Amino acid sequence: MPDTLVLDVAGLEVGNDADRPFTLGPLDLALAAREIVGVVGDSGAGKSLFVSTLTQTLRPSATVVSGEVRFEDADLLTLDHRRQQRIRGARIGFIGSNPHGLLHPMLPVGRQVANVLRAHEAVSKTEARARVLDMFSAVGIPDPARRLDAYPHELSGGMAQRVVIAVGLICDPDLIVADEPTAGLDVTIQAQVLELIEALVRSRENRALLLATRDLGIVARFCDRVVVLDDGQVAEQGPVRDLFRTPEAAISRELLTAARGF
Ligand SMILES: Nc1ncnc2c1ncn2[C@@H]1O[C@H](COP(=O)(O)OP(=O)(O)OP(=O)(O)O)[C@@H](O)[C@H]1O
């Protein structure tokens, strides 16, 4: 794979039989450095299933049927457990929605971010605290030194979401995978959070972002390319401007209509 590719997914098919028979793919998708690629589709289209394949958090009901997910010099799907652990949360950072669900309610937020860092890097507690402090500043948490010791319930939704972003970025990942990272936030806070994630992606040479969302408005504003999923199948994919100018699939037109609010 060329140096500039951060992720290269080829012929990926994932089945899931828990609630209903469902197949994602076959899906081909390459992400270059500094690129932001959207994965869009209605509820149940398979966005989270795809994200979970990349973050290696598939539940036992799901099976990878075929394909490759090349990241760094390896196929994520065939890595041994130790290398999976090393990559997950460190080389591939995850940003989910619902921060109050993702964060542990009984631990100060600074410690939670530090724990992620210390799980992957041999740093002292003091050094970890300093790194987390820097990261809290980078993600725009005001008065970061004081916020290190706050509990999640003491933070607003937007502030807690910034902590989730800090968790995703603390190990300086090359790939960031975000699944509805602004769901449940006020519209103005949504824009701030997405602008922040965008800046953190574009500011680093080898970093790319995969952004799963139902909202084509978000795709229009932040993504370079997009994959439209419809019931697990790729309905179309390509540059975002092409999708907006000449949507080919019926589902793309439906999502566009929804995004334009009429
Ligand atoms: N981590 C996972 N492990 C196993 N199966 C999963 C996982 N995530 C989602 N699924 C399953 O994949 C199928 C497609 O749903 P999925 O949640 O991926 O859709 P989605 O596009 O993310 O929808 P929404 O926008 O509502 O989150 C469902 O059967 C779901 O239960």
Side-chain angles (χ1 to χ4, degrees):
M1 133 167 107
D3 284 341
T4 49
L5 282 192
V6 174
L7 180 79
D8 194 1
V9 178
L12 177 69
E13 271 189 272
V14 185
N16 179 55
D17 276 330
D19 34 13
R20 62 185 170 113
F22 183 89
T23 307
L24 168 72
L27 201 153
D28 296 281
L29 177 65
L31 261 78
R34 294 198 177 184
E35 224 184 0
I36 300 184
V37 175
V39 177
V40 75
D42 267 338
S43 182
K47 304 181 294 295
S48 297
L49 188 62
F50 180 43
V51 163
S52 307
T53 309
L54 301 181
T55 54
Q56 297 156 304
T57 52
L58 286 173
R59 293 189 292 273
S61 62
T63 319
V64 176
V65 180
S66 63
E68 271 192 357
V69 177
R70 307 287 313 172
F71 176 76
E72 295 185 338
D73 57 350
D75 178 3
L76 287 183
L77 303 177
T78 56
L79 282 185
D80 61 46
H81 185 66
R82 241 187 78 242
R83 277 199 76 193
Q84 275 191 7
Q85 296 278 79
R86 203 175 60 72
I87 288 179
R88 182 172 48 207
R91 308 311 323 131
I92 299 181
F94 174 68
I95 303 174
S97 59
N98 181 17
H100 286 113
L102 291 173
L103 296 170
H104 192 298
M106 308 294 276
L107 279 181
V109 289
R111 215 158 91 214
Q112 299 193 43
V113 185
N115 287 347
V116 174
L117 178 62
R118 298 189 77 215
H120 291 282
E121 289 181 33
V123 289
S124 68
K125 278 191 177 167
T126 318
E127 201 181 323
R129 197 173 160 94
R131 289 262 298 270
V132 176
L133 185 61
D134 285 350
M135 183 50 73
F136 274 19
S137 304
V139 299
I141 294 177
D143 199 358
R146 195 167 60 83
R147 290 278 167 41
L148 287 176
D149 297 317
Y151 288 88
H153 72 266
E154 295 173 317
L155 302 180
S156 66
M159 219 40 74
Q161 188 60 26
R162 286 169 197 265
V163 174
V164 169
I165 297 171
V167 170
L169 290 171
I170 190 66
C171 296
D172 202 20
D174 290 327
L175 176 66
I176 303 171
V177 179
D179 195 359
E180 300 282 8
T182 54
L185 300 180
D186 289 349
V187 177
T188 42
I189 307 288
Q190 270 190 21
Q192 283 173 18
V193 168
L194 286 165
E195 277 161 16
L196 169 70
I197 296 175
E198 181 186 30
L200 292 166
V201 173
R202 310 257 198 223
S203 66
R204 193 163 160 304
E205 211 162 296
N206 285 323
R207 187 174 274 167
L209 168 67
L210 185 102
L211 174 62
T213 176
R214 280 178 233 173
D215 187 340
L216 263 188
I218 288 178
V219 169
R221 185 146 167 213
F222 294 99
C223 297
D224 306 302
R225 286 185 298 120
V226 62
V227 180
V228 183
L229 291 180
D230 185 13
D231 199 22
Q233 306 303 297
V234 176
E236 69 179 284
Q237 73 185 95
V240 168
R241 61 176 180 281
D242 291 356
L243 179 81
F244 275 78
R245 274 187 208 146
T246 49
E248 280 170 14
I251 184 71
S252 307
R253 289 192 286 274
E254 279 171 33
L255 291 167
L256 277 171
T257 307
R260 286 173 180 145
F262 54 87

